[in-house]
Structures are given as structure tokens and as C-alpha cells.
């Protein structure tokens, strides 16, 4: 996975680098997208690539020349000290909280932070500068929706309905573009899954997918810069800032301690997953796996956004890792299903194109492989689910999250 | 992933005398090899650190020469990228002035450098050794490790004596014991407007036992300016006579090296 950068600044990058490194390294521009850093002997020690994103953020990647790794580390330290942010500050939704705090106050803080992440990633997502922006934008929306579902008792039910519908709409507007990002990223991997002599035959897929993505992005941009999205982003902050002042008799969970509320939700979702998963066997429809995976995400978000800050790490960490294992298996199953589905759809469009016949044959073989993969993932489901739903794990969850 | 086996050639710039153009040749030729796309390493064996300086690198190797000779598996950790693509440097270190003593502690001192270089062959097409001016155990080890000794000869009577000495050495069997090291002389700091230079060049070219390359490096300001610029000549004076001469010299060397199989 290619990263968009390791450090971020909203200042003009060359000047910001010069200020931060003054006296230690010289910075000079090398073309429009790179800066060279030299030491006291004027030796080139690092190259910095800069990706500028509309909206004013600049994403830097520091690459050491061989033998100058220590200089690179020192440079990274200096840059952080001078206000360059590390990139996870743009995706991590970590918010400080303590278990005894009112739930509505904590939930509002978490949601405001998620809104910040959306705002920060929106320009990059619109510009299509790097797929990571849209991805992080969507994760923040999914997390928001999950919090709205799980913590609904801190809101007035009526107010919530509209907001939830809006965020669902927002996510839907971005789905097609994200799916195509993923397909295009997967294409290389898909090609490698096809039998060697057929790989070249898949070439017509790329331009087809790119054209689709171009159209999907246009539609997405229109929606995200339109009236409905702007209104939502504006009003949402107001709602969150005023939340604790709303009448409490309409918000049953508002003043409960957050640890109690979050712990209860974690126990409940874990329990739901155990029941859903137990009903799954080799013959179950793909939807059953899909639903379980969605629940798994819900649990993951609860654990990351609240659990990790409120409960014993000894308890949360192993639960997160067994959950991750399970989600990976479910994810592979679903990815393969989705990829196969996408290929079947594209096959229709390929028929008329030059080289289309060969591409169709290659796709046929590929779809078979994907389905075999998907079946294999099903085979691994029962063991990873057994670990997740063991009596021991269930007891830990029931006792620990309260 | 296993690395493809390379047909690596080791080239040493060597002369008993100092100030004849060894370092200038090593730096410019290594640069030209790298520029043509060959992964290239230059090992600055001279404690004076002239080529290390020209590449702007600090003349410091952790553990010194002794460490390099002993811990062959760690050699790669001391290598630095230069500012030029494909060109890397194993820097000089002050401790290299005792490299003779360090070599002498091994059972077969003359074979040691060759052994140290062996694991690096997988990474480079060319390895240049820029040697200190001397005839010593270090030189013997260099002879043993190299596919070619590149000997700059200033075409003035006195200095060409040095080349004749080398010839004697070679005949006495001390140089290129394995019998595969080619000795390639070239004229350095040649001045064709000087009668003396022309005479010496003509005389040496006639000696059958000597391989004197056709391309000569003329005396040129650009070569002297390398110290100011701290860059190979083609970087800052690509069209000057020196750059053109080094390119011709390199073309000739490369051709000769690849008409003979590499030692391994
Ligand atoms: N072709 C040349 N023209 C002019 N000056 C030269 C030339 N070759 C070398 N020099 C100068 O002579 C000095 C010694 O050269 P150098 O390459 O360091 O020799 P060595 O490594 O044999 O001691 C340096 O100052 C260098 O700039
Ligand atoms: Mg020298």
C-alpha cells in the first residue's frame, strides 16, 4: 500500500523545511515536488517528496540516502518539533476521556473529532490526489454512523433520524468512487491470480475501470460540494456543541457514565456476533458472512473509539486481535465475492472492445479462482470464529466490560 | 529474493607515486560507469581521503580499517550513497594508514581484500579501488583483488620511471599473481604542446610489454576545479576537454575488461 506521506504541514513546504532545519541542514528545491537536504559538508543526505493537496496541506515523505539513515531520523525529529504533524493525526480519532464522565459530553467530543477528520480529508478526496484521503473520509463517516447507532440514547430520537439519514446519504455518494479505487489497486493482484499466459489479456480492464472512476468521482464531487453536504457539515457541529444543553428527559443515556454505556454496548455487540456466527455454516448464503462482518466493524469501532480508553488494555488488546483475525477471513471472503461480481459486470462492457474475446476468457478463469479463494476463506472461518466466541472469551467480555 | 550473479569487475587506480591523477581518474571513471546505469562502488583506500572529500562524505568508518578487514559481513553497513545515482562510496578512514599492519594479521594477507570484496560483488557491476601511493602489503592485496590496475603515467621522463618499476614488479610475479590482472597504463596530465611529453609518449607506446591505452587525459583546469566543486568533471563541465577525455578512456577500459572473463 503506498502511503501519501509521513508528515504534514499547511505552511509552504520549502520555507517550513528551511526554518525547521536551520543551522543543521540546507534545503533546496529539486523540481516542483521534491526538496533536497544537505548536511554541513553540503552532502546530499535526504530527499523529501512533497505532495500538495488543494485545501492547503502538504504531505512529505523523507527518504534517506544509503548510509544517512541517522540524519533522516534527526530530520524527522526536528520537523516534528517545529510543528510538522505526523500523518496519523489525520486519521486517528483518539479523544481523551474518563469512565465517569457524562456520556453525551464524551460522545459529542468523539463525533466532533470524527468531523474534523472528515473536513481535513475532504479536499484531498475531492481532488483525487491520493486514494488515502477518500478512504479516511469514509472511515470517519462509517465511525460516525456507528457511534450514532450505538450511542443513540444520548440524542433526542427525532433529531437523530435526519442526521443518520444524511450521513448514510453522504457515505453512499462516495461508495462507487472508493470501490473503483480499490478495484484499480487490486488489478495488479488480480492479474497475478490469473494464469500466466492470460495476464496480458486482462489489459483492456484498466482503461475501462479508469473511465468508470472518472465518472464516479465527478458524481461524488457534485454531491460532496452540494447543498445537502454543506448544510450537514455546518449544522452538525452546532448540534454537537449544544448537545448537553438539550432536555435530558428525552435522552435516556445522556448523563450515564460513559464506561457503563460503552461497556454495555460492547458486551451486547459481542454477544450478537456470537449468535450470528454460530448460525453460519458452509452452506450459508454470502449475506450471512457479510452481515457478521458489518457487526464486527461495529464492535471494532466501539473498542477503538471508547473501549481502548476506558477499559483494561490487557482485556481490549487480545479481543481486538482475535476480532481482527476473524474480520480478515470475512474480509477476504467478501473481497473475493465482490471482485468476482465486478468482473462479471465488466464482462458485459468488454464484449464489444478490441481484444475483448481474450479478455473474457481470462476473466472466466479468474472468476473461478476468486470463487475458489472465497470458498477457502469460508473453510478458515470456523477456526477463527471458534477463538472469537470461545467460552473463555465470552466470560472475559461479560466480566471485563463493566 | 536471490540476487542475480553479476559479472563484476574490480578496477584499481594505482601508482607508486602520488599526485599523478589516480584519484581524479577513479572519481570520474566511477561516475561515468554509474551514469551509464551500472551499480558502482568506489572504495577510497587512501587515508588522505581525497575521493571521499570529492564526494562530500565524512572520512570516517566505524571500527576503522581493521574492522572492515575482520567483519566481512558488515562491510555493507559502512557504504554511503553519493549524490549521484548508482554510485556508492566506501569512505576512507584515518586508520587506513595502518592497513598494512591490519592485513598482516591474517594468514594470507594478500588475499584478504579480495575476500572482503567478495560479498559486495552481488551488488555492483564495477568496484573501483582508489589506492594510496606506495608499494606495500596493501598494494599486493589490491593487485590480488583487481581485474585491472589502471596506472596513470605523466609523460615526463622522471615519472614514467614509475611505470617501468611496475613492469619489473609484474615480471617478478608480484603483481597479479593469479596472472589475470591486466595492467593498463594511460597518460595523465599530458601536454601535447610539450616536445618532451610527445617524445615520452611515443617511446612508451612502442614498448611491446606495456599496454598503454589510446586515450590520454590532458592537463585541464576542470580537473583541478574538482576540489572546489566537489563533483566529478562531467557534472559541472560536461563539454570540457577533460570530460571528453575521461569518457573516451572509460569506453576503452570497459571494452578491454569485457573482452576478458572476470576473475572470481
Ligand atoms: N588532468 C589533470 N589536469 C590538471 N590537474 C590535474 C589533472 N589530474 C590531476 N590533477 C591535479 O593534480 C593533483 C593530484 O591529482 P590526484 O588525482 O589527486 O592524484 P593522485 O590520486 O595520484 O595523488 C590534484 O590537485 C588534481 O586536481
Ligand atoms: Mg589519490
Amino acid at each position: 500500500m503506498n502511503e501519501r506521506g509521513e508528515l504534514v504541514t499547511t505552511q509552504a513546504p520549502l520555507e517550513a523545511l528551511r526554518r525547521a532545519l536551520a543551522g543543521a541542514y540546507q534545503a533546496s528545491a529539486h523540481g516542483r515536488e521534491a526538496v533536497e537536504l544537505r548536511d554541513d559538508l553540503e552532502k546530499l543526505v535526504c530527499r523529501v517528496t512533497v505532495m500538495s493537496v488543494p485545501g492547503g496541506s502538504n504531505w512529505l515523505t523523507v527518504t534517506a540516502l544509503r548510509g544517512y539513515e541517522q540524519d533522516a531520523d534527526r530530520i524527522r525529529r526536528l520537523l516534528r518539533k517545529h510543528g510538522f504533524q505526523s500523518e496519523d493525526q489525520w486519521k486517528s480519532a483518539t479523544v481523551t476521556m474518563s469512565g465517569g464522565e457524562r456520556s453525551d459530553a464524551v460522545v459529542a467530543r468523539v463525533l466532533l473529532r470524527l468531523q474534523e477528520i472528515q473536513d481535513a480529508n475532504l479536499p484531498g478526496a475531492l481532488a483525487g490526489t491520493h486514494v488515502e484521503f477518500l478512504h479516511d473520509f469514509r472511515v470517519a463517516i462509517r465511525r460516525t454512523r456507528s457511534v450514532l447507532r450505538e450511542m443513540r440514547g444520548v440524542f433526542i430520537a427525532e433529531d437523530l433520524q435526519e442526521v443518520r439519514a444524511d450521513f448514510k446519504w453522504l457515505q453512499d455518494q462516495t461508495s462507487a468512487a472508493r470501490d473503483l479505487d480499490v478495484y484499480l489497486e487490486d488489478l495488479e493482484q488480480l492479474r497475478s491470480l490469473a494464469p500466466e499466459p492470460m495476464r496480458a489479456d486482462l489489459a483492456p480492464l484498466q482503461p475501462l475501470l479508469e473511465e468508470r472512476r472518472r465518472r464516479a468521482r465527478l458524481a461524488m464531487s457534485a454531491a460532496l460540494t452540494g447543498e445537502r453536504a454543506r448544510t450537514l457539515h455546518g449544522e452538525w457541529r452546532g448540534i454537537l456543541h449544544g448537545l448537553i444543553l438539550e432536555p435530558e428527559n428525552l435522552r435516556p443515556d445522556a448523563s450515564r457514565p460513559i464506561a457503563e454505556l460503552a461497556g454495555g454496548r460492547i458486551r451486547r455487540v459481542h454477544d450478537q456476533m456470537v449468535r450470528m456466527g454460530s448460525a453460519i455454516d458452509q452452506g450459508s448464503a454470502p449475506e450471512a458472512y457479510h452481515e457478521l462482518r458489518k457487526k464486527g466493524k461495529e464492535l471494532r469501532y466501539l473498542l477503538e473509539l471508547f473501549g481502548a480508553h476506558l477499559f483494561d488494555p490487557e482485556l481490549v488488546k487480545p479481543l481486538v486481535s482475535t476480532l481482527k483475525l476473524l474480520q480478515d477471513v470475512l474480509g477476504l471472503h467478501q473481497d473475493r465475492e465482490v471482485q468476482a461480481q465486478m468482473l462479471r459486470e465488466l464482462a458485459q462492457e468488454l464484449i464489444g472492445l478490441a481484444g475483448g474475446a481474450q479478455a473474457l476468457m481470462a476473466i472466466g478463469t479468474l472468476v473461478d479462482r476468486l470463487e475458489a479463494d472465497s470458498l477457502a476463506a469460508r473453510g478458515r472461518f470456523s477456526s477463527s470464529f471458534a477463538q472469537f466466541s470461545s467460552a473463555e472469551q465470552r466470560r472475559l467480555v461479560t466480566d471485563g466490560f463493566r | 529474493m536471490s540476487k542475480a550473479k553479476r559479472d563484476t569487475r574490480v578496477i584499481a587506480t594505482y601508482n607508486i607515486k602520488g599526485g599523478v591523477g589516480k584519484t581524479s581518474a577513479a572519481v570520474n571513471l566511477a561516475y561515468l560507469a554509474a551514469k551509464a546505469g551500472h551499480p558502482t562502488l568506489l572504495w577510497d583506500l587512501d587515508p588522505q581521503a581525497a575521493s571521499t572529500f570529492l564526494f562530500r562524505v565524512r572520512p570516517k568508518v566505524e571500527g576503522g580499517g581493521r574492522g572492515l578487514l575482520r567483519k566481512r559481513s558488515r562491510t555493507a553497513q559502512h557504504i554511503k550513497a553519493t549524490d549521484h545515482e548508482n554510485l556508492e562510496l566506501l569512505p576512507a578512514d584515518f586508520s587506513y594508514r595502518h592497513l598494512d599492519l591490519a592485513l598482516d594479521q591474517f594468514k594470507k594477507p594478500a588475499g584478504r581484500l579480495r575476500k572482503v570484496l567478495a560479498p559486495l560483488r552481488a551488488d555492483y557491476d564495477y568496484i573501483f579501488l582508489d589506492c594510496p601511493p606506495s608499494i606495500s602489503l596493501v598494494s599486493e592485496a589490491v593487485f590480488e583483488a583487481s581485474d585491472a590496475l589502471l596506472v596513470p603515467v605523466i609523460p615526463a621522463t622522471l615519472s614514467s620511471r614509475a611505470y617501468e618499476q611496475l613492469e619489473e614488479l609484474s615480471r617478478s610475479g608480484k603483481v597479479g599473481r593469479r596472472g589475470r590482472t591486466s595492467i593498463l597504463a594511460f597518460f595523465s596530465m599530458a601536454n601535447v604542446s610539450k616536445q618532451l611529453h610527445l617524445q615520452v609518449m611515443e617511446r612508451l607506446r612502442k614498448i611491446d610489454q606495456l599496454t598503454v591505452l589510446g586515450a590520454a587525459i590532458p592537463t585541464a583546469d576542470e580537473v583541478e576545479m574538482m576540489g572546489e566543486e566537489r563533483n566529478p568533471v562531467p557534472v559541472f563541465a560536461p563539454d570540457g576537454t577533460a570530460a571528453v577525455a575521461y569518457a573516451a578512456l572509460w569506453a576503452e577500459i570497459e571494452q578491454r575488461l569485457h573482452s576478458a572473463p572476470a576473475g572470481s
Side-chain angles (χ1 to χ4, degrees), chain A residues 38 40-41 43 66-67, chain B residues 56 58 80-81 83 88 230:
Chain A
R38 294 176 181 273
D40 54 331
L41 301 178
K43 171 75 182 78
R66 178 172 188 182
Chain B
R56 308 169 179 218
R58 219 169 286 288
K80 305 267 182 194
D83 290 9
E88 300 189 326
R230 285 177 297 152

Side-chain angles (χ1 to χ4, degrees), chain B residues 145-166:
Chain B
S146 306
D147 296 297
L149 286 191
L150 204 54
V151 185
V153 176
I154 301 178
T157 29
L158 271 182
S159 104
S160 50
R161 265 298 297 154
Y163 186 84
E164 283 152 15
Q165 279 168 11
L166 192 68

Side-chain angles (χ1 to χ4, degrees), chain A residues 124-376:
Chain A
L126 288 174
T129 322
H130 193 290
V131 296
E132 227 22 38
F133 290 104
L134 179 57
H135 176 253
D136 287 352
F137 182 73
R138 280 170 52 85
V139 170
I141 294 175
R142 273 211 305 274
R143 286 174 153 176
T144 298
R145 294 182 61 206
S146 172
V147 172
L148 293 178
R149 264 192 309 275
E150 295 299 328
M151 305 296 187
R152 63 175 81 88
V154 305
F155 294 95
I156 298 173
E158 266 174 42
D159 295 353
L160 201 55
Q161 254 180 4
E162 205 176 314
V163 176
R164 282 180 61 178
D166 280 343
F167 274 110
K168 174 169 190 329
W169 169 83
L170 198 60
Q171 189 178 337
D172 290 345
Q173 304 313 302
T174 60
S175 297
R178 173 62 193 168
D179 286 350
L180 286 157
D181 280 348
V182 175
Y183 296 155
L184 278 160
E185 277 194 345
D186 283 357
L187 205 56
E188 203 45 46
Q189 192 205 358
L190 277 179
R191 248 184 229 134
S192 67
L193 283 176
E196 177 72 51
M198 287 186 159
R199 281 180 201 165
D201 298 343
L202 289 169
L205 278 179
Q206 176 110 14
L208 210 60
L209 287 171
E210 272 166 4
E211 174 54 21
R212 279 193 167 199
R213 174 162 72 175
R214 197 186 60 79
R215 275 183 271 142
R217 279 189 175 159
L218 278 178
M220 176 182 79
S221 293
L224 295 189
T225 55
E227 183 70 26
R228 187 169 178 185
R230 281 206 311 273
T231 314
L232 171 63
H233 278 190
E235 286 179 354
W236 184 224
R237 277 175 191 281
I239 294 174
L240 292 173
H241 282 295
L243 184 62
I244 59 168
L245 303 174
E246 300 287 332
E248 281 190 28
N249 58 340
L250 298 175
R251 303 184 298 128
D253 292 333
S255 63
R256 284 175 68 194
I258 185 65
E260 185 187 304
L261 180 60
R265 295 315 303 170
I266 290 168
R267 292 198 308 270
R268 177 152 171 77
V269 176
H270 185 263
D271 187 53
Q272 286 174 335
M273 283 184 73
V274 170
R275 275 185 284 128
M276 288 166 80
S278 306
I280 289 180
D281 57 35
Q282 288 276 334
S284 296
E287 288 74 39
Y289 292 89
H290 182 51
E291 287 303 316
L292 181 61
R293 187 184 183 208
K294 269 168 53 184
K295 263 293 174 223
K297 279 194 174 159
E298 197 91 345
L299 181 57
R300 174 109 183 249
Y301 295 154
L302 276 170
L303 288 168
E304 285 170 351
L305 297 174
F306 299 98
H309 313 293
L310 298 170
F311 297 97
D312 184 2
E314 300 280 314
L315 178 71
V316 177
K317 271 196 196 141
L319 178 57
V320 168
S321 44
T322 53
L323 175 59
K324 254 183 160 166
L325 274 177
L326 176 62
Q327 293 293 90
D328 285 349
V329 173
L330 291 169
L332 181 62
H333 175 264
Q334 198 192 343
D335 289 351
R336 291 299 186 243
E337 294 280 328
V338 170
Q339 284 167 338
Q341 182 55 36
M342 182 245 334
L343 288 175
R344 280 195 213 94
E345 258 180 67
L346 285 174
Q348 309 293 324
E349 289 181 49
L350 277 172
I351 297 173
L353 294 181
Q358 279 95 321
L360 277 183
M361 300 228 299
I363 283 180
T365 319
L366 197 50
V367 167
D368 289 347
R369 294 242 168 140
L370 292 172
E371 282 173 348
D373 258 19
S374 167
L375 269 179

